Structures are given as structure tokens and as C-alpha cells.
């Protein structure tokens, strides 16, 4: 049975990039710089500042995730203490599985193995979110699966690189994507 909740992979997406991050940790540092860097390259980037006031956040953000070609997930120390971030992560994985959305993990001041294995301060943060959702063990299982799956993808560890290197890597990635899309379009025309 076909799913009706996902966006088909060939359908034109409204957003090039959705950035998932824990606002308290990052909004006015790495996120503002990364977002500006991508927007300067004409990469349509969504961070939650793009929501119109008065809209319901949850349904609107889930829709935006589905309308994005790529999701950048920035894991930070407190990412996992937010049920909201974890719900975003589950939706991002759903889009990866159903419509081929590309997921790019970034580890910011947290070790990727702490995310993969749910250990250390990252586990402590995760336990906070699980306590908030104590009536929904299935939700906690989905979060754990999402954290392990995304943290196993090839990504960037900012403990061992400068931010400018990350911005340049993303710029190159999106330039290559646009070039490939242009080639595909030309091939369809001919």
C-alpha cells in the first residue's frame, strides 16, 4: 500500500535545506552563520525563524521538513533533551525512507559515539526527553532508532574542524547537487 504522507522524490521541493537544531544551544552562533552562508549561495534554507507568527509550530514544521530536499541535523549536547527536536528527527528519517531526502549530520560539541550509543551527557539529555514522554514508550523507541540511524550516517565532526570548513563543504555539496540537477534537466529535454 502506497503512503500518501510523503512527497514524491521528483516533485519540486519548496526548500533546499531544513536545519534541525536545539535552539537554546545554537541559534545565535553556528546556525545564524550557517544559514547566512547557505542563503548567500542562493540555497533556500529553513530555520524556525521562517515560521509566520500565529501558526501552529508542529504541523507547520513537519510540512516544511517534507518540503525540503535535504535536512541538516546538528547534534549538540542538549539536542536530545528536546522532544520537539527528536520528533523532527523521526520525521526527517521518514522523509529519507519514503522520498529519498538527504540527511547530513553535524556533531557540534558532542562526540558522534555518544549519540550512536546514547552515552555520557547526550544520554542524560535523552533521558530528560524520555521522562517528559513517559506515557509513550513507542515514541522513545522511535527517537532512539532515529538517533542511532542518523548518527551512523557520514557527517561532520566540528570538534575536529573549523566552522568555515563546514560552510565550504556544504557550499560544494549544494553546488554539485545543482549542477547534477541541471544536467538531468538537459538530458530530459534532449
Amino acid at each position: 500500500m502506497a503512503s500518501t504522507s510523503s512527497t514524491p522524490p521528483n516533485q519540486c521541493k519548496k526548500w533546499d535545506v531544513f536545519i534541525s537544531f536545539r535552539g537554546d544551544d545554537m541559534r545565535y552562533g553556528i546556525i545564524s552563520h550557517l544559514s547566512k552562508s547557505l542563503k548567500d549561495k542562493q540555497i533556500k534554507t529553513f530555520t524556525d525563524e521562517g515560521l509566520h507568527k500565529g501558526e501552529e509550530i508542529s504541523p507547520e514544521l513537519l510540512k516544511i521538513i517534507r518540503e525540503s530536499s535535504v535536512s541538516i541535523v546538528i547534534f549538540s549536547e542538549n539536542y536530545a533533551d528536546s522532544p520537539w527536536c527528536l520528533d523532527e528527527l523521526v520525521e526527517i528519517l521518514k522523509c529519507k525512507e519514503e522520498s529519498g531526502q538527504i540527511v547530513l549530520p553535524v556533531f557540534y560539541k558532542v562526540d558522534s559515539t555518544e549519540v550512536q550509543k546514547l552515552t555520557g551527557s547526550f544520554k542524560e539529555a535523552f533521558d530528560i526527553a524520555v521522562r517528559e514522554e513517559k506515557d509513550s514508550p513507542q515514541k522513545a523507541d522511535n527517537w532512539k532508532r532515529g538517533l542511532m540511524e542518523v548518527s551512523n550516517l557520514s557527517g561532520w565532526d566540528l570538534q575536529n574542524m573549523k566552522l568555515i570548513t563546514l560552510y565550504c563543504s556544504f557550499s560544494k555539496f549544494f553546488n554539485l547537487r545543482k549542477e547534477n540537477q541541471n544536467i538531468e534537466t538537459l538530458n530530459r529535454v534532449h
Side-chain angles (χ1 to χ4, degrees):
M1 182 170 158
S3 172
T4 58
S5 65
S6 66
T7 305
N10 337 358
Q11 184 174 330
C12 200
K13 301 283 189 162
K14 181 175 179 181
W15 299 96
D16 293 319
V17 180
F18 175 84
I19 302 176
S20 177
F21 65 97
R22 179 74 166 114
D24 294 347
D25 289 350
M26 326 218 6
R27 184 175 317 279
Y28 301 108
I30 182 178
I31 296 304
S32 60
H33 296 295
L34 176 59
S35 180
K36 181 181 180 335
S37 173
L38 293 171
K39 288 175 182 176
D40 286 350
K41 301 282 185 192
Q42 278 70 55
I43 298 166
K44 291 183 346 189
T45 304
F46 184 88
T47 58
D48 61 8
E49 288 89 6
L51 285 177
H52 299 298
K53 302 298 181 214
E55 290 178 337
E56 288 186 34
I57 294 175
S58 179
E60 181 64 15
L61 268 181
L62 295 176
K63 179 177 182 254
I64 290 165
I65 291 168
R66 288 189 294 270
E67 294 174 338
S68 300
S69 297
V70 174
S71 283
I72 296 173
V73 180
I74 302 184
F75 292 113
S76 59
E77 243 181 354
N78 295 314
Y79 182 92
D81 76 4
S82 167
W84 184 247
C85 288
L86 296 168
D87 286 343
E88 284 179 5
L89 186 67
V90 169
E91 184 66 23
I92 287 166
L93 275 175
K94 184 177 173 185
C95 292
K96 177 183 180 286
E97 293 164 2
E98 294 178 358
S99 65
Q101 186 178 95
I102 295 169
V103 181
L104 305 173
V106 174
F107 301 93
Y108 181 74
K109 296 184 179 179
V110 65
D111 191 276
S112 63
T113 58
E114 282 189 22
V115 179
Q116 291 165 351
K117 297 178 181 182
L118 279 176
T119 59
S121 61
F122 201 82
K123 181 182 182 345
E124 292 171 17
F126 181 74
D127 289 344
I128 292 169
V130 170
R131 278 193 297 275
E132 287 182 32
E133 296 290 334
K134 63 181 179 264
D135 296 332
S136 182
Q138 181 61 45
K139 188 177 246 193
D141 287 344
N142 289 341
W143 291 344
K144 187 182 286 190
R145 181 183 75 71
L147 288 167
M148 286 191 283
E149 188 172 330
V150 172
S151 64
N152 278 313
L153 297 172
S154 180
W156 290 265
D157 180 354
L158 291 184
Q159 294 182 79
N160 300 318
M161 78 172 18
K162 295 183 180 185
L163 288 177
I164 191 69
T165 306
L166 176 71
Y167 304 152
C168 291
S169 294
F170 282 143
S171 287
K172 287 178 188 174
F173 173 82
F174 287 104
N175 285 339
L176 286 172
R177 265 184 67 78
K178 287 191 183 222
E179 285 175 24
N180 288 339
Q181 289 170 344
N182 291 340
I183 291 169
E184 287 174 13
T185 302
L186 285 173
N187 287 337
R188 276 188 296 229
V189 170
H190 293 21

